[in-house]
Amino acid sequence: MNYLSVIFLAFAMSTDAFAAAIGKGATLHKPKLREALRTGLIFGVIEGITPVIGWAIGLSAARYITAWDHWIAFTLLLVLGGRMILAGLRKPDEAEQKPTKHTFWVLAVTAFATSIDALAVGVGLAFIDVNIASAAVTIGLATMLMVTVGVMLGRVVGKAIGQRAEMIGGVVLIIVGATIVYQHLHAA
C-alpha cells in the first residue's frame, strides 16, 4: 500500500469523527481553538491507536471484530446521542450555561465509538505491505485535523441553531452510528 493510499484511507476513516466533532462543537459555548485542538488530540490519539490494536490482533480474530464492530459503534453512539437529545429536550434553565468544554471521558467514549471501524481496518492492514506505525500516525493526524476543524465549524453551527444544538448534535451522532451499521450490512 503506497503512502498516498494511506493518506486517503486516513481521511476517509476520520469523516465520522468529523461529523461527531461538529455536534460536539455545537453543544459548547463559543469553543476556543484550544478546546478544538484538545478534542482533536483526544480523537486523533484514539483513532491512531485503534488500527494498531487491530493490526496486533491479526487474522485470527478478524471475523469476530468485523462481525460486531459496527454494532458496538452504533450502540455507543446511540446512547451518547440519546443522552444529548434528552438534554436538549429539557427546559432550559436560565441560570445554566452551555459548557465551555467536554469532559475527557465524554470525548474519549465518542472517539472510541467513531474509531471502532479503524480497529477492523487495522486487522486488514496486518496482511498487506504497510508500515503500521506511519499508517497509525497518518490516521491520527488526519483525525486530529478534521476533528479540530469540526469543533470550530460546530461553533458556527451552534450559534445558528441556538438552544437545540445539543439535540442536533445527538441526532448527528445517531446518524453516524446508523451509517456505520448500514455500510457494514450493505457491504456484507
Side-chain angles (χ1 to χ4, degrees), residues 45-164:
V45 167
I46 291 172
E47 188 89 22
I49 290 172
T50 52
V52 175
I53 294 169
W55 179 80
I57 291 170
L59 184 60
S60 64
R63 62 184 164 185
Y64 303 113
I65 292 170
T66 57
W68 291 98
D69 66 343
H70 52 288
W71 291 113
I72 295 167
F74 174 70
T75 302
L76 288 170
L77 291 170
L78 179 68
V79 169
L80 288 169
R83 288 187 62 201
M84 289 174 71
I85 291 169
L86 290 174
L89 288 172
R90 281 192 333 228
K91 191 166 191 157
D93 182 3
E94 296 303 320
E96 186 179 340
Q97 294 183 348
K98 289 172 80 173
T100 56
K101 69 181 204 171
H102 293 290
T103 67
F104 170 80
W105 293 109
V106 165
L107 294 176
V109 169
T110 306
F112 179 72
T114 61
S115 69
I116 289 178
D117 58 337
L119 187 75
V121 167
V123 171
L125 292 177
F127 305 102
I128 60 174
D129 184 26
V130 66
N131 179 328
I132 191 62
S134 65
V137 168
T138 303
I139 291 166
L141 289 173
T143 301
M144 181 178 157
L145 173 65
M146 290 193 58
V147 166
T148 301
V149 170
V151 169
M152 296 311 290
L153 183 60
R155 174 185 175 142
V156 174
V157 172
K159 285 181 184 178
I161 58 178
Q163 245 174 284
R164 299 297 171 220

